[in-house]
Amino acid sequence: MRSTTGWQADSTTRTLRRAALERRELRPDDIAVRVDYCGVCHTDLHALQALESDTNGVLVPGHEFTGVVTEVGSAVPDFSPGDPVAVGNIVDSCGTCRMCQAGQENFCREFPTLTYGGTDRQDGSTTLGGYSREYVVSNRFAYPLPAGLDAAATAPLLCAGVTVWEPLQALGVGPGNTVAVAGLGGLGHLAVKMATALGATTSVISRSLDKAHEARGLGAEGFIVSTDPEQMEAVRDHFDVVIDTISAPHDLAPYLRVTAMDGTLSHLGHLGPVTVGTMDLLIGRKKLSSAGSGGHPSTAAMLHFCAEHGITADIELLPSSQVNKALERLARNDVRYRFVLDMSDLD
């Protein structure tokens, strides 16, 4: 086994503590990555909050990171030591089901192996995430980091970025389309940047005017206050695509009402149950969809697009020793727009 250091959950306090970790020895198709920067996702916070005090499991969060290859397995064709790479929230899949064959490993019928909290398909061990100084991953689930992209600000693209990229691509967003982004956080600010770069006329829907200036700075042409009935009525049946990134439970009806005829509301932020009135779909033949992460082709295309258009996340970079502070602030939504941990202090 290979030894490294990372931030492991304490099941009693639900905080993270520095700990020695073990990684597997490299398989023929593996690469070892020195993790330089790891994004902090709401999923990490939820996983920590859900940890049972009597669990025997080990939790090391982190599933959006960038770093440098330090070693390669004997059958790795495309990576060499020294190559900058990025890794997202999927590190394996069955590779044979229809979804995997279609390049949608994120929808693997046998469920993809997640970067942390997953089950390794070969040895049955629990995967430990990117809040660590080294990660060992199959080369099939690592991506070359395009030149010109800041490594720290690119890390969130591997989760938040591809999560909003998938529906934008699946729904064919481009010039001539109108897009609204509901919620201006880690997902939402990237949705605004990407939709704008794709050529769509983009607006932000938010609860107050507080973020209007920020939204326009990201490229949004319009700003709608969701708590203002007159403003919402003015854009009724208006947007071809509404990207809903709101992370808390909420009523979908207002966002379906501003969706245009034959348009789509893509619900991304809150992954719990929702209730939808059929009439809200019926009037205007509106569609409700969702998306999650991305397969290899989509993730690679997203990174290429972001490099071409200079898109990265707006981040607050913290030393990894401040991970618990970052999670506490994230729980209060006190971040613009994504925390990223600098893992070099684990040396």
Side-chain angles (χ1 to χ4, degrees), residues 50-63:
L51 194 64
E52 297 293 336
S53 60
D54 61 349
T55 183
N56 291 321
V58 176
L59 174 65
V60 176
H63 62 199

Side-chain angles (χ1 to χ4, degrees), residues 43-261:
T43 302
D44 305 339
L45 182 63
H46 296 158
L48 194 60
Q49 291 173 338
L51 194 64
E52 297 293 336
S53 60
D54 61 349
T55 183
N56 291 321
V58 176
L59 174 65
V60 176
H63 62 199
E64 48 181 45
F65 61 86
T66 57
V68 174
V69 176
T70 58
E71 190 176 344
V72 301
S74 60
V76 173
D78 299 324
F79 292 106
S80 300
D83 288 346
V85 293
V87 176
N89 59 359
I90 297 169
V91 293
D92 203 359
S93 71
C94 78
T96 59
C97 73
R98 290 180 64 183
M99 291 296 187
C100 288
Q101 290 295 303
Q104 295 282 180
E105 296 91 345
N106 51 321
F107 302 137
C108 175
R109 294 283 178 84
E110 296 184 10
F111 201 78
T113 302
L114 302 180
T115 308
Y116 71 86
T119 301
D120 185 274
R121 293 180 125 79
Q122 295 191 41
D123 63 20
S125 62
T126 299
T127 55
L128 306 179
Y131 287 7
S132 62
R133 194 52 164 153
E134 181 179 79
Y135 199 97
V136 174
V137 61
S138 168
N139 75 98
R140 295 181 298 114
F141 289 89
Y143 303 88
L145 183 65
L149 286 181
D150 178 80
T154 296
L157 297 182
L158 275 295
C159 177
V162 73
T163 295
V164 296
W165 173 258
E166 276 264 303
L168 291 171
Q169 287 296 285
L171 297 171
V173 168
N177 290 139
T178 53
V179 173
V181 177
L184 196 61
L187 293 174
H189 89 288
L190 288 171
V192 173
K193 290 186 178 186
M194 290 180 181
T196 300
L198 286 165
T201 301
T202 306
S203 297
V204 168
I205 302 175
S206 189
R207 289 177 296 178
S208 72
L209 277 170
D210 293 348
K211 295 184 178 181
H213 179 72
E214 296 174 36
R216 293 190 174 96
L218 294 167
E221 295 185 28
F223 190 89
I224 301 103
V225 178
S226 62
T227 54
D228 186 325
E230 291 185 4
Q231 290 192 33
M232 292 293 280
E233 181 62 26
V235 291
R236 185 162 185 169
D237 303 317
H238 179 74
F239 297 104
D240 301 314
V241 174
V242 177
I243 303 293
D244 179 357
T245 70
I246 301 168
S247 60
H250 58 283
D251 185 7
L252 300 189
Y255 303 100
L256 281 167
R257 292 188 192 112
V258 302
T259 303
M261 186 172 73

